[in-house]
Amino acid sequence: MVRQRLTPFVALLFGFLLLPAGFSLAAEVVARVDQSVVAEGEPIRLTLTRSGDQGRLPEPDLSPLEKDFQILGTSSESNIRILNGHSESTVGLTVTLLPRRTGPMTIPALAVAGMKTTPIKIEVTPAGTQGGGSGGGQPGDHAGAYFLESEVDNPTPYVQGQVLLKVRFYRAVTFTRGEIADPVIADAAVERLGEDRAYSAEVKGRSYEVLERTYAIFPQKSGALTLPGLVFQGEAKLPRSRTSRTPDPGGFGPFANDPFFQNFFGRDPFAGVFEPTRPVTLRSDPIQLDVKPRPPAFTGPWWLPAAQLTLTDNGLSDPITAHVGEPLTRILGLHAKGLAATQLPEIPKPRLDGLNIYPDQPVTQSQAKGRWILGEREEKWAILATRPGTYTLPAIEIPWWNVADGRAEVARLPARTLTVLPAADTGTPPPTATAPATQAPATPTPAASPSPSADATGEHPPPGAPHVELAGGYWPWLTAAALLLWLGTLVAWWRQRQRLAAIPTLSTPPSPLPAPRRQPPATAPIAAACATNDPQRIAAALLAWGGERWPEDPPRTLGALQSRLDPTAAPAVIARIERGLYAPNTPWDGGNFWTELQPLLIPATSPAVPPVVENLPALNPDPHHADHRRKERQNRRV
């Protein structure tokens, strides 16, 4: 009986316990936005939340939003709220939207888990209006907390002249990240000048942190030109109250609204981890330019509108002197204030008969200095003379337009003189060996008065006699001994002369032996160097070949080697390899060059060395001739 009475009561109790769960299933899905007034280009965060522990919120149908909004992304979130010992869980979905137009707009109702949200009205203001894009944020705490502005230094520039564009981002709140996109302007070139500059400023009594960036704009056509507004995108931290117990609409920290943590710590201890942020997009106002065309009074070959333009000349000091085949390096520079390096023209090169000029690759760079961009162009010329003489390097002139004074000017380098001497190592032929001349005995000159070297009779000693002074003691004996030795030498010389005269000469000289012929140096290393298409290796192989070909006087330059080869074909061949040496970026075909070079390396037949006739006695004399010589010697003795 008792069991039957308790059964209805227990059933009713279980029904009451299950009733809240049923109501949770019927709970509505709430939609809200983070701001109802936004600026053009600024995103909106639409949040859909549902209370109750029912798992993740299903993905809604977002297609109704695509007509007026661009969907940038979605994210899921959950929140547990503890209040007076009771917990409440919510799940949500955040959709980031970007309005496609300005004016009043309506976020339509969305179907979520079989339910529909309430439509929300918003207003999109044009960029640059207060409370919108430039004011940055909601009316109230965020009004004027951040904004973006831009300006130019000259709204009426010349075509292809520099325009300085400055953009400044002001903020009075903390941003977790931010970026200013570089402008993309049709019919204009854009270059950033230097690094961003950060400083503090006060606007209408409020302090701001300012980030300033500078661009150089170069319009490419005359007429009206619109510079579009620059765009900033970032994430701003939302303000959080330290004492408020109301839910933070943008925060989902687990203890964001718990009174115990708020009263004990005075703040949410996880605020740094779950700090809420909101995306911020700002756009500055567009700027109109009136670009002036090229003035008709300017007639130069290049249009160079600049604040300053100069030419520099380095590498050669006066007086300029060189030898044939000796390269000279001339370094020319073109420097402009208000022009980028890409706008500077090539420095004109002179054409002189007898001088070859080989330009290297130019070096260009642009750098910021103050409010100007500085363009620089450096060119290196290798100057090579092919024949001696005096040359005049003509003056170099580059006309340009002074944008500050509005008149044409000319950057100029004066003419210079170059003196070219013959090749330093062609040299003179080596001296030939000659027999030293026999010193003839000096002829005595009669003296006006007796000299101390004369004897008592006033006569001088015969030529060749040693100079002595007559005095007493042993000196007369030494003089007599020297005189006897001299007489003996004279007799021996006379007898040797007679014996040599008695030797007959050969009637028919023998045939000379053929002179040894030097083998020509090998050309295989030169051919191998040509196969590499490397002018440096080819030149080194050619000079090594010349050192083997002429070891007594090797050529040390290509010009010296050219003077020893075929004078009709060698100049063109040597000039070609010099172009490869001093113009390294010129295409080079080593195989074709070897075809032209090989005939020049074949040596011509050297003339035979004339035979030297020596008067030597025959090895096997005639017996009749020997008897005749004996009879002649006997007659001399008689």
Side-chain angles (χ1 to χ4, degrees), residues 398-614:
I398 296 182
W400 60 285
W401 184 262
N402 191 325
V403 295
D405 300 337
R407 59 187 177 90
E409 296 188 12
V410 177
R412 188 176 188 276
L413 287 177
R416 305 187 68 177
T417 302
L418 170 61
T419 303
V420 180
L421 305 176
D425 59 350
T426 54
T428 57
T432 56
T434 56
T438 305
Q439 182 178 0
T443 305
T445 303
S449 60
S451 63
S453 60
D455 55 12
T457 61
E459 296 180 358
H460 291 270
H467 177 75
V468 295
E469 294 183 1
L470 298 178
Y474 56 86
W475 284 108
W477 298 102
L478 292 178
T479 303
L483 183 60
L484 291 175
L485 290 176
W486 177 77
L487 290 177
T489 303
L490 185 61
V491 172
W493 171 78
W494 179 80
R495 296 190 63 179
Q496 181 68 19
R497 184 182 178 87
Q498 292 295 326
R499 283 197 298 268
L500 292 176
I503 300 175
T505 60
L506 297 176
S507 58
T508 303
S511 299
L513 296 176
R517 180 172 298 177
R518 181 184 301 155
Q519 294 294 331
T523 59
I526 303 177
C530 290
T532 63
N533 296 327
D534 186 355
Q536 296 285 348
R537 295 185 60 180
I538 298 174
L542 271 174
L543 293 178
W545 178 88
E548 296 181 12
R549 179 71 174 82
W550 295 280
E552 301 85 359
D553 185 20
R556 294 179 175 82
T557 64
L558 293 176
L561 179 64
Q562 172 185 324
S563 63
R564 307 187 187 190
L565 301 176
D566 185 1
T568 58
V573 176
I574 298 301
R576 181 177 174 186
I577 191 173
E578 287 175 344
R579 283 194 299 270
L581 289 172
Y582 303 113
N585 295 310
T586 303
W588 181 263
D589 185 2
N592 188 17
F593 178 75
W594 171 245
T595 304
E596 300 177 3
L597 176 66
Q598 186 179 13
L600 300 179
L601 305 181
I602 301 175
T605 304
S606 302
V609 179
V612 179
V613 178
E614 298 182 359

Side-chain angles (χ1 to χ4, degrees), residues 39 68 291 524 567 620:
D68 295 327
V291 183
N620 299 313

Side-chain angles (χ1 to χ4, degrees), residues 59-81:
E59 185 78 19
D61 181 15
L62 302 178
S63 58
L65 299 174
E66 295 179 353
K67 178 181 178 181
D68 295 327
F69 300 91
Q70 178 184 355
I71 301 175
L72 301 181
T74 61
S75 61
S76 299
E77 53 200 27
S78 63
N79 182 33
I80 300 176
R81 181 185 179 190

Side-chain angles (χ1 to χ4, degrees), residues 159-387:
V159 62
Q160 297 182 1
Q162 174 184 303
V163 179
L164 208 64
L165 172 63
K166 288 190 176 182
V167 55
R168 302 181 186 92
F169 169 63
Y170 294 79
R171 64 175 181 86
V173 296
T174 303
F175 275 73
T176 58
R177 67 173 185 86
E179 181 182 2
I180 300 176
D182 292 335
V184 178
I185 306 173
D187 301 321
V190 181
E191 290 201 26
R192 186 187 296 189
L193 294 184
E195 300 294 332
D196 295 346
R197 191 166 70 97
Y199 56 92
S200 300
E202 186 174 323
V203 179
K204 296 182 180 180
R206 189 171 187 179
S207 297
Y208 290 89
E209 296 295 324
V210 184
L211 179 69
E212 181 179 283
R213 181 177 295 176
T214 305
Y215 295 94
I217 310 297
F218 299 93
Q220 298 302 304
K221 70 175 185 178
S222 58
L225 177 63
T226 300
L227 304 182
L230 285 89
V231 178
F232 169 86
Q233 290 184 331
E235 291 281 341
K237 288 186 178 181
L238 292 175
R240 181 187 296 272
S241 174
R242 295 187 178 183
T243 59
S244 175
R245 299 184 182 183
T246 58
D248 186 351
F252 294 93
F255 305 99
N257 300 288
D258 189 278
F260 171 77
F261 283 97
Q262 293 289 339
N263 295 332
F264 186 82
F265 294 102
R267 65 179 180 88
D268 181 2
F270 296 94
V273 178
F274 300 99
E275 189 75 30
T277 61
R278 59 180 291 258
V280 175
T281 300
L282 304 176
R283 187 185 298 272
S284 65
D285 296 331
I287 300 176
Q288 296 292 329
L289 299 181
D290 184 14
V291 183
K292 294 183 288 188
R294 173 175 175 170
F298 185 80
T299 58
W302 311 282
W303 170 239
L304 301 173
Q308 185 180 5
L309 192 136
T310 56
L311 278 167
T312 57
D313 188 357
N314 298 304
L316 299 178
S317 57
D318 293 324
I320 309 175
T321 305
H323 294 272
V324 172
E326 177 185 352
L328 299 175
T329 301
R330 188 181 189 185
I331 305 175
L332 298 173
L334 183 59
H335 311 270
K337 179 189 291 187
L339 289 176
T342 54
Q343 297 177 268
L344 301 180
E346 179 181 355
I347 301 176
K349 294 182 293 296
R351 296 181 178 273
L352 298 175
D353 189 18
L355 287 183
N356 295 331
I357 299 179
Y358 307 104
D360 202 351
Q361 279 290 99
V363 178
T364 59
Q365 66 171 351
S366 298
Q367 58 181 340
K369 187 175 183 180
R371 57 184 294 266
W372 294 102
I373 187 170
L374 302 182
E376 299 179 357
R377 180 185 178 95
E378 182 184 273
E379 296 187 12
K380 289 185 179 181
W381 296 355
I383 304 176
L384 198 68
T386 58
R387 61 171 180 265

